Amino acid sequence: MKKFTLIFLSLISFCFLSKVKAQVAEVSSPDGKLKLNVFSEEGKALYSVTFQGKIMLEKSPLGLITNESDFSKNLKFINSKKDNVSKNYSNEKIKKSEVEYKANTLTVNFINADQFNIGIEFQVSNNNIAFRYEIQPMKDRFSVVVQSEITGYRFPSQTTTFLSPMMKPMTGFARTAPSYESGYKADAELGTKADYGYVFPGLFHIENEGWVLLSETGVSSLYCASHLDTTSDKNIYRVAYPNMSENNGFGSSGAAISLPGTTPWRTITIGDSLKPIVETTIPFDVVDQLYEPSQKYQFGKSTWSWILWQDNSMNFDDQAKFIDLSSEIGYEYILIDALWDRNIGKERMKELIQYAKSKNVGVMLWYNSNGSANDAPMGPRNKMSSSIERKKEMKWLKEIGVKGLKVDFFGGDKQETMRLYEDILSDANDFGLMIIFHGATLPRGWEVMYPNYAGSEAVLASEMLYFSEDVRKQEAFFATLHPFIRNTVGSMEFGGTFLNKFLTKSNKDKNKRHTTDGFQLATAVLFQNPIQMFGVTPNNLTDAPKFQLDFMEKVPTLWDETVFIDGYPGKFSVIARRHQDKWYFVGVNAEKTSKKFQLNLPMLAGKNLELINDDKSGNTFTKPVSINKKGIYEIEIQPNGGFVLKN
């Protein structure tokens, strides 16, 4: 019996020592609440994450596979190194204009069976983790193709998901998919499969414990973009590279890199509430500007005829009407959309731009991105897809005074496409042009990396409100998701805020809106992008209430601060944004009943504010209100409604 007891105790001791030995490094956030542990077990690298002592990610796989060597197995821990990083930076294009970033860093080094080295660099700030792989030269190999990653995220079993499925390649309009324009399913079961995986970012709710947002940042021409996919273990989501069918099958699904080289950053934002999710700046904290701006770029508001007046409005006279509209309401820009090359032509475009200049309105022009990637027929075509044509076109654009471009119909996340994005941005900067991407991928730190970058669609946006009754019915549902998911990691050029009751040129008969005017005004603040094309039309000058027009004239598109107030994705969302000394508190409600709660506004205690809200019949009104000395104000949001409270 004694012998058995000794053997049993020895086994327990061995198992305990083995587990201790398996953990090779750890690092915590500056405030000590977020903790990351790295393990080496059976030749594999793993990590886990806790927040305030609660498990947010269980032991999850690390590693990647190249065409030269496998870094997913037979790994041996070599050493680790700790340090810290601190920087302050400014960027007017993101949710917070002045950022102070502090993180503790950990670099863990492994060697594989071929005796080649790989490092994993972690930066752990309060509520955020960013990590990337560092690949060293492999003897005489100074270039490799990274074929896949096994990077994964193992969630506790009580987790639900808020994810948007990746579109099937070479489908949709003129085979332009995938373009990050699918909807979301809220609180879905963990491990629910999608045929082509899920786009970044992805939000996960760990019941009674907290929230986790997954994304990536720092993707340039040097790598492909990636997405999430399920695995045979329903608790694990993995990083997946582009589908080979994208771009008509052209280009690798992996990434060709020079050695030593790094992958993009994988980012994890964690909190016991949604506040850190909404307010995170991690997509921008770990990236750097890649080139100097050729000039000071001006961001702001724009009109565009196409969203409600459609293709028929691509003519000189209608565009002149929208130039007049921009001038009347003080907007900086007009976007002249597809088919201008055929319906207006280059010679008359010079005249139109001069007319806009006389009205103090800048012109942005639409371009098709494609050469060979898809079948989108609208022009101008084949001007952005090759360096020689692109530079010739941009030289002409600069000469006639164009301020920026909206480039459309990208499809896919391959490295080939990432090069095209970067080449367009870099060349455009040489000619003083801002760039917005439409029908595009998620921006991944691009607000910082590219100074003339002015936003991306990458969402089920306003055009689908025009085309789809189902999307119109779900408008409020999707709007309550974006501040927590898509828009929290990057600029989102939504192109909405309609004052028309019917989404048509005539403002009658069809495409009736299901949301209130209060809702529409709230989304002008709820959705963030440095240049926002709003859906205001010339008829609104006479058929919209004056207080609504006044709001749309004055609402900023650049913000100095963003604060989470309340909400639950898919149900309701309330946030605050500050521009200089002006605060805008906005909320929208997707539920079938009204939502009543208290706003805590300590920064405006005792102040007089203007309220825009809806009554129980869905009619939108405005009135002055006062905030009590405790900074408390009670608000009620109607179903499919919204409010704005501003000083």
Side-chain angles (χ1 to χ4, degrees), residues 542-556:
T542 55
D543 64 16
K546 184 177 184 302
F547 76 88
Q548 296 185 18
L549 278 174
D550 289 344
F551 175 84
M552 291 306 299
E553 288 178 12
K554 296 172 184 176
V555 65

Side-chain angles (χ1 to χ4, degrees), residues 535-583:
V536 182
T537 54
N539 57 282
N540 297 146
L541 294 174
T542 55
D543 64 16
K546 184 177 184 302
F547 76 88
Q548 296 185 18
L549 278 174
D550 289 344
F551 175 84
M552 291 306 299
E553 288 178 12
K554 296 172 184 176
V555 65
T557 64
L558 301 178
W559 304 103
D560 295 302
E561 191 173 352
T562 296
V563 179
F564 167 75
I565 303 296
D566 205 347
Y568 190 95
K571 296 182 179 180
F572 72 107
S573 176
V574 183
I575 67 169
R577 298 195 197 271
R578 178 178 61 83
H579 175 79
Q580 297 176 359
D581 63 346
K582 301 293 184 183
W583 279 98

Side-chain angles (χ1 to χ4, degrees), residues 574-643:
V574 183
I575 67 169
R577 298 195 197 271
R578 178 178 61 83
H579 175 79
Q580 297 176 359
D581 63 346
K582 301 293 184 183
W583 279 98
Y584 291 75
F585 295 83
V586 300
V588 295
N589 180 17
E591 297 190 277
K592 294 181 179 179
T593 58
S594 64
K595 193 83 177 176
K596 185 182 290 187
F597 52 91
Q598 288 186 336
L599 296 175
N600 186 14
L601 315 174
M603 68 287 282
L604 296 175
K607 302 289 186 180
N608 295 322
L609 279 70
E610 177 188 353
L611 171 69
I612 299 173
N613 204 357
D614 308 310
D615 63 23
K616 294 185 184 299
S617 299
N619 299 311
T620 304
F621 64 89
T622 184
K623 69 176 183 178
V625 297
S626 298
I627 308 301
N628 66 29
K629 292 182 179 180
K630 294 182 179 180
I632 302 297
Y633 184 77
E634 189 173 271
I635 193 79
E636 184 175 10
I637 320 178
Q638 300 301 322
N640 284 333
F643 78 90

